[in-house]
Amino acid sequence: MNLASSKVFKGLAVGSLALAISGVATIPASFAADPAPAASQSSDARTIADKAMAKITQGLPGQFQVAYSKKTNKIWVAGTADRDKHVSTIARIDANSLKIEAVAELPIIKNDKGYQYDAAYGITVDDVDGTVWVTNTTDNSISVYDQETLQQTWTTAGIAETDPNWIEHPRSVLVDHESGKAFVTGRFFVSAIDLKTKQVEKIQLEGAPDGGTRYISMNILVDGGKLYVPERTGGKIFVVDTKTFKVESSFDTKGNAEGEVRPSDIAIDHSQNEIYVSSQGVKGANSGVSIYDATTHEFKKFIPVGTQALALDNDEANDLVYVSDFGTGKVGVIDGGAADKLIAEVAMNGGKANDLVVLPNGSVVAVDKQAGATATVPYVLDGTTGTVSTSDKVTSKPSKDKQGNEVPAKTSEIQANSILKFKVTATAGDNSEVKQVTPETREFQGYPATATKTTKATDTTTPSTEAHRTVDANGSVANIIQGLPGQFQVGYSKKNHKLFVPTVGARGNLASSLARVDADTLQTEAFAELPVKQNDKGQYGYTSAYGVTVDDVDGTVWVTNTTDNSVAVYDQQTLKLIWTNEGVKEGDPNWIEHPRSVLVDHESGKAFVTGRFFVSAIDLKTKQVEKIQLEGAPDGGTRYISMNLFLDGGKLYVPERTGGKLFVVDTKTFKVEKTIQTQGEDSTVEVRPSDVAVDHSLNEIYVSSQGVKGVNSGISVYDLRTGEFKKFVKFGTQALALEHDEDRDLVYVTDFGTGKVAVFDGRADEVIGEVEMNGAAANDVTLLKDGSVLVLDKKDRDEKVTLPYVLNGTTGEISTASEYTTLPGKDRQGNDVPASVQQLKANSILKFKVGLKDTAESAAPVTLTPTALQFAGYPTVTGVKAEESKPADPKAEDAKKDNSSTPAPSQSADSVIDAKDNAKSDAKTDSKSDSRDELNPSKDGVKADLSGSSQAQREGGSSKGALASTGANGVAGLLAVGSVALLGGAAILVRRRKA
């Protein structure tokens, strides 16, 4: 991620590779600051597990930076081993085995001193365009190479110094498709290269030396439309808008001593709201990591690390920060959670640990520049003749030293550096001492026999053809287990690796809950006891949750109480209710009718909610609601029948079911920037789009659609930039929820009609596999951080289930039971429906991960049948109690401000939703729905629901959310008046709750 400020280019290393369990020794920190006086251990203290996986192998000579391709799971390393640039390459390395797959013979430059490579130093990967960007630092140029062929596709080499596109001494480069720029740090300015025109614009940093024109830079970070730039000489961090190039703010970095800090690298952890900055310092002083508030930039803490802390990367899912120390050759592991403390060090080869990157599975790959074993490489350049050979020796050019003395040519051995890969697990425990990890080694696997000769591509490019892929049944795993009755959506916490499932298991809201499920075992861990309400007839029912999303920044779960026209927030750990707008009256601007899906977006500071009218944006601080009108939706954009939402790069993607359009909305201005008319197989039949995802690596938008009676059920594909329709792929009879794995270019789609899940290959735009569930009602889907897929259905299983939260609608008692008694009511024809006893039945949870293999041509989809897992039973209910059910807004000051605009519910008659109006509205909304009514009882009291859901927050570890085209209208006239008191097992309403 970053170049050392050292001018030593010949640092090398050794290695051999062994995948083994490394020993971890607990000894005092070898390069932390003098310890503070001992203090009692915090309950939040973490250390690393006693067994850590670490391996080290011989790498390349002269390693500088390392980059990672998520799409291909490849590591890229830029290496230049000598000052004369006779031994330089970029290498593609398998991220699993660390085997060097290919090395490039870089373009050769001839000057008055002979021949040299256009040497590579900094490197970054662009998976959208399938390229690798390289800084040719000492030649003042930038080059781009094709990931697959290693051919050079573009370069600035040869541009004159007077050309405005010339960049002096470029170090780091970062590609940002959201702004359409590649940002490059250098000796003067930060440069922004337009990805289309390749024109360069210089960014002046006010406050940097010489009026912002003298800039000594290290690494950079792009996050949420902001470019974070450390400046080494002045010791500041600049925050730059990536579109306007204006410096929005800057702050001074801090250390633990007087003198220069010299910041080098930077990362942001949204879940902790912290910025981490590594700093080299001077002669050991101020070497370490400083921490700042991500919102205010207030300095919080400095953690000493080594003698020249350099590259830095963070694993936000596990709240771990990794930093390389060029001085000691170790990689520090910092607990970025509550402790903010160095907890481990992973050794390399005694010095010059240079750059590192965190992989999606939490592994870390680091490269050093420490001299090691002699290396025989196939790209050694003769500076006199310009010929390239395989050799273990290199001859320098004659030169002069600093005193002007002649230095003759010298032949020396080429020495390799090392590549380290490790993974540590943070666990609760004593962190008073820093654990030491020593990696295991294994025999080096060798360099490629020949280097790939790179030639600059012509302006005419030939489209690449890729082999088809299919599902490898032998390499796939699929398991299914008993779930919960009445499953709707699923939310996933990447941070805690937990699933959250809202359930409505009985008519009349008599068996509803919010469950937390372990993502590995699929066992249900805990239930929230939802608030109980009472209507004007004295009947009791839960405030039932349908839609769900996870907010790992605040540690909460947001749910939509669809039939109660409200939204609620629960704590992930305790499952306690902490905020709700239930009780807000219909005339209040904060009232949301029939909310379905919810997504939390901390970048805009809003929670977006779809509903029957409009899309609503809830301010995360004030909880005030702003309605977004979608121009082009029915009734002038005021009549909106919504499904799922998707957030990407400051854009909200909103499918609208009735009109069949996809709206792209700016998340800050709420303006509709683009409208796409979705398409299917038959233009005379409604498409009914339900869910959406974006794949930047393929520049495509994927939309699932339910269609009507099997027609137009499938996946449609659109160009991400233009919105142009590309293809429709038929799947199932009511395609519903959609999730995508951009790393593998796979899309997963549930079919509510057949109960199957499609595996859609985004590269070929075809269905290559189908995973079975239980024959119908595959409902919602989410992707886990390891690439596994989690699916819920709504198909009743045969097993008799006993739940610990069955509510008696007449008495309000909560008990553990396997059946429930429906409340008397009326059917749609107005006929009386008497109370009846009904059996509770569970749905299923499916988890699978597909293996892939290449094929010469398209093949029929491979069917996977899951293996049934043993169900371990349900836990007891935890959550809302009488004394704690009144939701406490964590922002007390905001709550005070909001009381005037968000009134508490009243028990008066005018606060009861009018049953006739509600029924009329539902009839209009759902008149074209194929799904049957969830909450209007049938003659026998129970009617299977065919509505589904879909979900999406693909940023920051959240999930998605949408109900299918359901007629879930609710029991009219239910009034939220109080919280639950447990008295002898009975849930009694004892007091009102404030919204």
Side-chain angles (χ1 to χ4, degrees):
M1 285 185 40
N2 149 336
L3 306 177
S5 62
S6 168
K7 293 184 179 180
V8 179
F9 291 160
K10 58 184 180 181
L12 309 163
V14 67
S16 45
L17 170 64
L19 177 56
I21 298 178
S22 307
V24 179
T26 304
I27 63 175
S30 65
F31 55 83
D34 293 336
S40 58
Q41 281 291 308
S42 165
S43 60
D44 297 318
R46 295 194 301 170
T47 185
I48 67 166
D50 289 336
K51 296 294 183 180
M53 302 299 294
K55 54 186 177 179
I56 195 166
T57 185
Q58 180 172 315
L60 298 158
Q63 296 172 153
F64 271 79
Q65 288 193 342
V66 60
Y68 174 66
S69 165
K70 290 183 179 180
K71 181 176 179 179
T72 62
N73 194 36
K74 304 298 180 184
I75 299 292
W76 290 86
V77 176
T80 299
D82 64 320
R83 291 180 181 272
D84 295 318
K85 294 168 281 190
H86 293 159
V87 183
S88 182
T89 192
I90 58 172
R92 187 177 66 231
I93 301 170
D94 184 85
N96 294 326
S97 66
L98 300 188
K99 181 179 180 179
I100 300 173
E101 295 181 341
V103 292
E105 179 187 317
L106 299 178
I108 298 171
I109 299 172
K110 185 179 180 181
N111 55 31
D112 56 357
K113 295 182 179 179
Y115 296 90
Q116 66 169 63
Y117 280 123
D118 195 6
Y121 296 87
I123 193 167
T124 195
V125 169
D126 175 8
D127 273 338
V128 175
D129 291 335
T131 57
V132 178
W133 286 63
V134 172
T135 59
N136 312 119
T137 305
T138 59
D139 293 303
N140 304 308
S141 63
I142 308 290
S143 299
V144 181
Y145 295 86
D146 184 273
Q147 287 188 33
E148 184 65 27
T149 66
L150 296 184
Q151 296 306 298
Q152 189 182 83
T153 61
W154 177 80
T155 183
T156 62
I159 291 180
E161 185 173 348
T162 55
D163 192 303
N165 295 311
W166 188 74
I167 301 173
E168 181 177 350
H169 207 73
R171 296 195 181 203
S172 290
V173 56
L174 199 60
V175 176
D176 176 37
H177 280 274
E178 177 62 27
S179 63
K181 306 294 182 183
F183 294 100
V184 182
T185 62
R187 182 168 289 143
F188 292 89
F189 309 102
V190 175
S191 298
I193 303 174
D194 189 280
L195 296 180
K196 292 182 179 179
T197 67
K198 299 301 190 294
Q199 298 300 297
V200 175
E201 186 171 349
K202 305 293 175 60
I203 302 173
Q204 185 169 335
L205 304 177
E206 298 177 7
D210 297 338
T213 62
R214 184 73 180 175
Y215 173 76
I216 301 178
S217 57
M218 299 306 298
N219 199 20
I220 48 180
L221 170 74
V222 172
D223 183 271
K226 304 291 184 288
L227 177 69
Y228 292 80
V229 187
E231 197 281 313
R232 191 174 69 92
T233 305
K236 291 184 176 181
I237 303 296
F238 295 88
V239 184
V240 182
D241 187 288
T242 56
K243 292 185 178 179
T244 66
F245 301 158
K246 300 295 183 183
V247 176
E248 294 193 345
S249 61
S250 64
F251 57 95
D252 291 314
T253 56
K254 306 288 185 181
N256 62 347
E258 295 294 327
E260 292 182 66
V261 178
R262 297 187 178 179
S264 295
D265 206 346
I266 187 167
I268 295 178
D269 189 316
H270 292 281
S271 66
Q272 299 294 324
N273 196 41
E274 291 182 335
I275 298 174
Y276 306 105
V277 178
S278 60
S279 56
Q280 299 183 52
V282 180
K283 296 181 180 180
N286 292 331
S287 171
V289 176
S290 51
I291 304 174
Y292 308 84
D293 185 278
T295 304
T296 66
H297 301 158
E298 180 183 0
F299 172 69
K300 297 176 69 175
K301 188 175 183 179
F302 182 80
I303 304 170
V305 179
T307 61
Q308 193 180 355
L310 197 58
L312 177 148
D313 203 355
N314 71 316
D315 177 358
E316 186 165 356
N318 296 301
D319 289 329
L320 293 173
V321 181
Y322 301 94
V323 58
S324 65
D325 178 45
F326 199 78
T328 65
K330 296 185 177 182
V331 178
V333 182
I334 293 174
D335 178 6
D340 281 334
K341 189 178 188 299
L342 182 71
I343 60 174
E345 298 168 359
V346 185
M348 289 197 72
N349 284 309
K352 302 182 180 179
N354 207 40
D355 196 22
L356 54 80
V357 64
V358 176
L359 308 191
N361 67 355
S363 297
V364 180
V365 172
V367 296
D368 70 3
K369 288 173 59 64
Q370 182 76 348
T374 299
T376 302
V377 295
Y379 52 87
V380 180
L381 176 66
D382 187 308
T384 303
T385 66
T387 58
V388 177
S389 64
T390 298
S391 178
D392 62 354
K393 294 180 175 61
V394 62
T395 301
S396 65
K397 298 174 183 177
S399 62
K400 293 180 182 291
D401 62 19
K402 290 184 178 181
Q403 288 71 41
N405 302 314
E406 297 288 341
V407 178
K410 179 183 178 181
T411 299
S412 57
E413 288 188 342
I414 301 170
Q415 292 178 295
N417 305 148
S418 294
I419 301 175
L420 167 72
K421 183 178 181 181
F422 68 91
K423 186 175 184 179
V424 298
T425 301
T427 183
D430 184 357
N431 65 2
S432 60
E433 294 184 315
V434 178
K435 291 191 174 181
Q436 303 296 309
V437 178
T438 302
E440 295 287 338
T441 59
R442 194 175 92 188
E443 185 178 356
F444 177 51
Q445 300 173 75
Y447 299 110
T450 59
T452 302
K453 186 177 179 64
T454 59
T455 56
K456 186 176 180 180
T458 61
D459 293 337
T460 302
T461 59
T462 303
S464 62
T465 57
E466 295 190 38
H468 291 270
R469 299 186 295 174
T470 188
V471 170
D472 181 3
N474 294 327
S476 302
V477 178
N479 294 305
I480 195 166
I481 194 171
Q482 178 177 318
L484 298 151
Q487 298 171 157
F488 272 80
Q489 292 189 348
V490 57
Y492 173 58
S493 166
K494 287 186 179 179
K495 182 176 180 179
N496 299 311
H497 198 46
K498 303 296 181 184
L499 303 163
F500 293 88
V501 181
T503 69
V504 184
R507 304 282 169 170
N509 299 303
L510 300 178
S512 303
S513 188
L514 173 66
R516 187 175 68 231
V517 178
D518 185 272
D520 288 325
T521 65
L522 303 186
Q523 301 295 340
T524 304
E525 293 182 341
F527 291 118
E529 185 177 328
L530 303 182
V532 174
K533 61 200 173 184
Q534 188 179 29
N535 65 11
D536 55 354
K537 297 179 181 179
Q539 299 170 328
Y540 295 89
Y542 282 115
T543 301
S544 297
Y546 293 83
V548 67
T549 196
V550 172
D551 176 7
D552 272 339
V553 175
D554 290 337
T556 58
V557 180
W558 287 63
V559 299
T560 57
N561 307 316
T562 305
T563 58
D564 292 292
N565 303 308
S566 64
V567 178
V569 182
Y570 292 83
D571 183 271
Q572 286 189 33
Q573 298 298 325
T574 65
L575 293 181
K576 292 180 180 179
L577 178 66
I578 58 177
W579 177 84
T580 183
N581 68 344
E582 186 181 351
V584 173
K585 297 179 182 180
E586 184 172 352
D588 193 296
N590 294 308
W591 188 73
I592 301 173
E593 181 178 348
H594 208 72
R596 296 192 181 205
S597 291
V598 58
L599 271 184
V600 176
D601 177 32
H602 281 273
E603 178 62 26
S604 63
K606 306 294 182 183
F608 295 98
V609 183
T610 61
R612 182 166 290 141
F613 293 89
F614 309 100
V615 175
S616 299
I618 303 175
D619 189 280
L620 296 181
K621 293 182 179 179
T622 67
K623 301 301 188 294
Q624 298 300 295
V625 175
E626 186 171 350
K627 303 294 172 58
I628 302 174
Q629 185 168 334
L630 303 177
E631 297 177 7
D635 295 342
T638 62
R639 184 74 180 174
Y640 174 75
I641 301 178
S642 58
M643 300 306 299
N644 198 20
L645 296 168
F646 181 73
L647 278 166
D648 181 83
K651 304 291 184 287
L652 182 69
Y653 291 78
V654 188
E656 196 281 315
R657 190 176 70 91
T658 305
K661 292 180 178 179
L662 175 67
F663 296 90
V664 184
V665 182
D666 187 286
T667 56
K668 293 185 178 179
T669 66
F670 301 158
K671 299 296 184 183
V672 175
E673 294 191 346
K674 185 185 299 180
T675 303
I676 300 171
Q677 184 67 53
T678 59
Q679 299 187 42
E681 59 190 316
D682 188 339
S683 61
T684 66
V685 177
E686 290 183 66
V687 178
R688 298 187 180 179
S690 295
D691 207 347
V692 61
V694 169
D695 191 313
H696 288 281
S697 65
L698 295 174
N699 192 42
E700 290 183 336
I701 301 172
Y702 305 107
V703 177
S704 60
S705 56
Q706 300 183 51
V708 179
K709 297 180 179 179
V711 180
N712 289 338
S713 171
I715 307 111
S716 52
V717 185
Y718 307 84
D719 185 275
L720 176 59
R721 293 191 179 95
T722 66
E724 181 183 358
F725 172 70
K726 298 176 70 174
K727 190 175 184 179
F728 177 79
V729 180
K730 176 73 177 177
F731 172 64
T733 60
Q734 194 180 354
L736 197 58
L738 178 150
E739 178 69 286
H740 85 304
D741 181 349
E742 186 164 356
D743 294 346
R744 305 175 75 195
D745 292 325
L746 294 176
V747 181
Y748 302 97
V749 183
T750 63
D751 178 41
F752 201 79
T754 64
K756 294 182 178 181
V757 183
V759 182
F760 180 85
D761 183 0
R763 297 179 189 174
D765 287 336
E766 59 187 6
V767 176
I768 61 173
E770 295 180 347
V771 187
E772 296 180 333
M773 288 197 74
N774 286 311
N779 207 40
D780 199 20
V781 59
T782 192
L783 182 74
L784 308 189
K785 59 185 176 182
D786 67 347
S788 297
V789 181
L790 195 288
V791 186
L792 305 180
D793 72 1
K794 288 176 61 65
K795 173 76 180 294
D796 287 345
R797 296 166 64 103
D798 294 332
E799 296 94 338
K800 179 180 180 180
V801 299
T802 301
L803 297 177
Y805 51 82
V806 178
L807 177 65
N808 185 308
T810 303
T811 67
E813 294 181 347
I814 298 174
S815 62
T816 298
S818 59
E819 56 189 23
Y820 68 99
T821 302
T822 64
L823 294 169
K826 291 183 180 293
D827 61 20
R828 288 187 173 181
Q829 288 71 43
N831 302 315
D832 288 327
V833 179
S836 62
V837 177
Q838 301 294 327
Q839 177 68 49
L840 289 166
K841 291 191 175 183
N843 305 148
S844 297
I845 300 176
L846 167 71
K847 183 179 180 181
F848 68 89
K849 188 173 185 179
V850 297
L852 299 173
K853 60 183 179 181
D854 293 333
T855 60
E857 56 187 20
S858 296
V862 175
T863 299
L864 299 180
T865 302
T867 301
L869 298 180
Q870 183 67 38
F871 179 62
Y874 298 118
T876 57
V877 175
T878 60
V880 178
K881 306 296 180 185
E883 68 277 9
E884 55 195 27
S885 64
K886 181 178 179 179
D889 192 331
K891 303 287 185 181
E893 295 181 0
D894 293 334
K896 292 178 182 178
K897 297 176 183 177
D898 296 343
N899 283 341
S900 61
S901 60
T902 310
S906 168
Q907 296 189 46
S908 62
D910 61 3
S911 67
V912 180
I913 301 173
D914 186 275
K916 294 181 180 179
D917 290 344
N918 204 28
K920 180 179 179 181
S921 177
D922 288 335
K924 180 178 180 181
T925 301
D926 298 315
S927 61
K928 297 181 179 180
S929 171
D930 295 330
S931 305
R932 286 179 284 174
D933 199 342
E934 167 67 32
L935 295 174
N936 288 339
S938 62
K939 294 181 179 181
D940 62 1
V942 174
K943 191 188 299 181
D945 177 89
L946 291 185
S947 69
S949 71
S950 51
Q951 45 114 341
Q953 179 165 0
R954 284 77 185 225
E955 291 184 334
S958 285
S959 79
K960 320 183 290 177
L963 309 177
S965 53
T966 175
N969 304 325
V971 177
L974 289 176
L975 173 64
V977 297
S979 43
V980 181
L982 298 181
L983 302 174
I988 309 298
L989 290 129
V990 294
R991 65 173 184 265
R992 292 184 297 168
R993 294 180 306 165
K994 292 183 179 179

